[in-house]
């Protein structure tokens, strides 16, 4: 994975260098320079969007699109810096040096950032609670996709070290690129933590595309669910679970296949009502159900800068939100990312939620 990743970076940098070398010989006026700079930045953002939210037939080109984004965006910044410093006598050497320094720094940061997973802490007090509960929500591990399995193993160890009362696996724990051995070992490690673990589907567990994976998909959905349940993990598919006398959990089926989503009606209880739903798109429905807190993932906090600034136009993207009846939503940054070992937005995180009586 890393060999391909670094090779593509070198190739794209070489192509960009050649293009800039031949175009730098011609004098360019300020308005055109600014237009080229803006075009680079917009193209970089467009490539990032195509990787994260583009049509599925682009999967074979996603690695190249990601690297072009990783090269073009810092090059646009370098262009701006050199324009401001050397307004008249800017040379090809100035531009390429700045571009390479920023490009390598950006590339190294994004690659290393994908392998570092840390907890993010939340605390919520409610009169509905009579005792403390620590809930860990982990989503978007995408095992085998963009992190080494050593990183996955370390993440699960960190989760256990937080001494949770309950763990919720919030979808996209595995995906099309997870091997059967990795899938089985992941759920074995979660099941061995010695606390109740609950599983909900994500879009990648429900909808997969074996035709775009050179190795195919090594296990069926039935084998995945058997591995989950074999390790003592409870699967929730639009089902309620009473975790404690003062704590009720609803695990939603993911909307990747709307036909699987069932209508639900909250039991008559005054318990604190917690909902786990992979995608943060049904918050109004859950607010009307009387949810106190919804935990979601799916967005990876954008994964590529500056998508975290664009996604909120469509959906809650990352962080804590509160709605008019007091319902709260926590959208996780996700414990990994999609497809490639590159992340330039918020760090990889799992969420530690302390629920306390008020």
């Amino acid at each position: 994975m890393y060999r391909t990743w670094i090779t593509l970076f070198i190739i794209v940098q070489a192509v960009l260098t050649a293009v800039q070398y031949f175009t730098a010989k011609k004098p360019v006026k300020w308005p055109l320079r600014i237009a080229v700079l803006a075009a680079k930045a917009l193209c970089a953002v467009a490539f990032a969007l195509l990787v994260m939210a583009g049509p599925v037939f682009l999967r074979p080109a996603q690695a190249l699109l990601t690297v072009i984004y990783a090269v073009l965006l810092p090059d646009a910044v370098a262009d701006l810096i050199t324009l401001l410093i050397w307004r008249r006598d800017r040379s090809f050497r100035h531009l390429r040096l700045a571009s390479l320094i920023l490009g390598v720094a950006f590339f190294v940061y994004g690659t290393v950032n994908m392998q570092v997973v840390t907890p993010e802490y939340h605390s919520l007090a409610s009169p509905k609670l009579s005792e403390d509960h620590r809930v860990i929500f982990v989503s978007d591990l995408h095992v085998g996709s963009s992190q080494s399995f050593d990183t996955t193993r370390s993440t699960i160890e960190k989760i256990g070290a937080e001494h949770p009362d309950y763990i919720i696996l919030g979808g996209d724990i595995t995906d099309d690129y997870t091997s059967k051995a990795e899938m089985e070992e992941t759920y074995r490690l979660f099941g061995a933590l010695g606390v109740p673990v609950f599983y909900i589907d994500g879009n990648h567990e429900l909808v997969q595309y074996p035709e775009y994976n050179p190795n195919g998909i090594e296990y069926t959905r039935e084998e995945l669910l058997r591995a989950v349940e074999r390790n003592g993990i409870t699967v929730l598919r639009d089902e309620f679970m009473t975790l404690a006398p003062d704590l009720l959990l609803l695990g939603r089926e993911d909307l990747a296949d709307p036909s699987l989503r069932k209508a639900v009606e909250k039991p008559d209880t005054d318990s604190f009502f917690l909902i786990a739903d992979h995608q943060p798109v049904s918050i109004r429905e859950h607010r009307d159900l009387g949810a106190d807190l919804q935990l979601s993932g799916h967005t990876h906090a954008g994964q590529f800068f500056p998508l975290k600034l664009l996604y909120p136009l469509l959906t809650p993207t990352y962080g804590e939100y509160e709605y008019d009846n007091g319902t709260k939503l926590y959208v996780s940054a996700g414990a990994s990312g999609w497809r490639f070992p590159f992340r330039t937005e918020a760090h990889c995180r799992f969420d530690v939620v302390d629920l306390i009586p008020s």
Side-chain angles (χ1 to χ4, degrees):
M1 177 171 64
Y2 290 108
R3 186 177 302 170
T4 301
W5 187 238
I6 294 170
T7 301
L8 281 173
F9 178 77
I10 293 171
I11 291 172
V12 173
Q13 281 286 3
V15 170
L16 182 62
T17 299
V19 170
Q20 290 180 338
Y21 176 76
F22 289 109
T23 58
K25 295 180 179 180
K26 299 178 181 179
V28 180
K29 295 184 178 180
W30 265 74
L32 183 55
R33 286 181 180 178
I34 294 172
V36 170
L37 187 160
K40 288 179 187 177
L42 289 173
C43 284
V45 174
F47 286 132
L49 278 170
L50 285 173
V51 172
M52 296 303 295
V56 70
F57 66 77
L58 286 177
R59 280 196 178 190
Q62 281 178 328
L64 180 60
L65 295 176
T66 304
V67 173
I68 293 174
Y69 153 80
V71 169
L72 272 187
L73 193 62
D75 185 70
V77 175
D79 220 351
L80 177 61
I81 291 172
T82 55
L83 274 174
L84 294 174
I85 296 176
W86 296 287
R87 295 188 180 185
R88 292 175 182 251
D89 59 345
R90 184 183 71 152
S91 67
F92 168 75
R93 181 171 55 85
H94 291 144
L95 175 59
R96 283 314 299 151
L97 182 61
S99 179
L100 280 172
I101 291 172
L102 289 176
V104 170
F106 191 64
F107 186 80
V108 170
Y109 170 76
T111 303
V112 172
N113 190 39
M114 183 62 85
Q115 304 302 319
V116 179
V117 186
T118 57
E120 181 161 4
Y121 296 95
H122 311 265
S123 182
L124 179 57
S126 171
K128 295 182 179 180
L129 294 163
S130 57
E131 58 181 306
D132 294 350
H133 303 282
R134 170 163 281 195
V135 179
I136 286 186
F137 180 80
V138 54
S139 71
D140 303 285
L141 262 175
H142 291 278
V143 173
S145 181
S146 56
Q147 290 177 343
S148 69
F149 198 79
D150 285 342
T151 300
T152 299
R153 190 186 306 276
S154 173
T155 298
I156 298 173
E157 290 173 355
K158 290 176 183 177
I159 289 170
E162 293 291 338
H163 305 293
D165 298 308
Y166 312 99
I167 297 171
I168 300 172
L169 306 182
D172 287 1
I173 302 302
T174 59
D175 63 27
D176 315 48
Y177 300 93
T178 310
S179 71
K180 184 175 182 180
E182 289 171 333
M183 178 272 290
E184 292 179 335
E185 179 65 5
T186 298
Y187 292 116
R188 187 194 70 78
L189 290 171
F190 275 116
L193 290 178
V195 298
V197 182
F198 302 91
Y199 165 96
I200 62 170
D201 281 317
N203 55 297
H204 282 277
E205 278 101 0
L206 288 181
V207 181
Q208 298 186 324
Y209 300 94
E211 64 272 27
Y212 295 110
N213 185 345
N215 300 317
I217 297 176
E218 297 185 9
Y219 54 89
T220 65
R221 175 159 171 73
E222 290 70 26
E223 288 175 320
L224 184 151
L225 293 176
R226 281 201 298 271
V228 171
E229 294 173 333
R230 184 169 63 243
N231 288 289
I233 299 169
T234 302
V235 177
L236 296 178
R237 305 177 70 181
D238 291 326
E239 295 168 302
F240 291 89
M241 176 67 63
T242 300
L243 303 185
D246 60 345
L247 183 57
L248 178 69
L249 170 65
L250 168 62
R252 297 309 312 259
E253 186 62 277
D254 187 68
L255 284 168
D257 186 346
S259 67
L260 298 177
R261 190 88 162 209
K262 296 180 291 189
V264 294
E265 186 174 341
K266 180 192 171 204
D268 185 13
T269 175
D270 292 327
S271 299
F272 186 93
F273 185 20
L274 172 64
I275 294 180
D277 192 0
H278 177 66
Q279 300 187 47
V281 296
S282 300
I283 184 64
R284 287 177 174 79
E285 174 192 346
H286 297 155
R287 177 195 62 188
D288 294 341
L289 272 176
D292 294 292
L293 174 63
Q294 176 176 325
L295 300 174
S296 295
H298 182 64
T299 64
H300 305 183
Q303 187 166 332
F304 299 146
F305 177 84
L307 299 189
K308 189 170 68 175
L309 304 177
L310 301 179
Y311 278 14
L313 299 174
L314 302 174
T315 180
T317 302
Y318 169 58
E320 301 182 5
Y321 302 80
E322 184 167 0
Y323 296 85
D324 49 17
N325 70 333
T327 297
K328 290 182 171 61
L329 167 67
Y330 295 166
V331 183
S332 175
S336 181
W338 165 237
R339 193 66 183 91
F340 303 103
F342 198 66
R343 183 176 182 126
T344 54
E345 277 290 4
H347 303 310
C348 299
R349 291 185 173 124
F350 59 88
D351 292 79
V352 181
V353 182
D354 286 311
L355 303 175
I356 56 177
S358 64

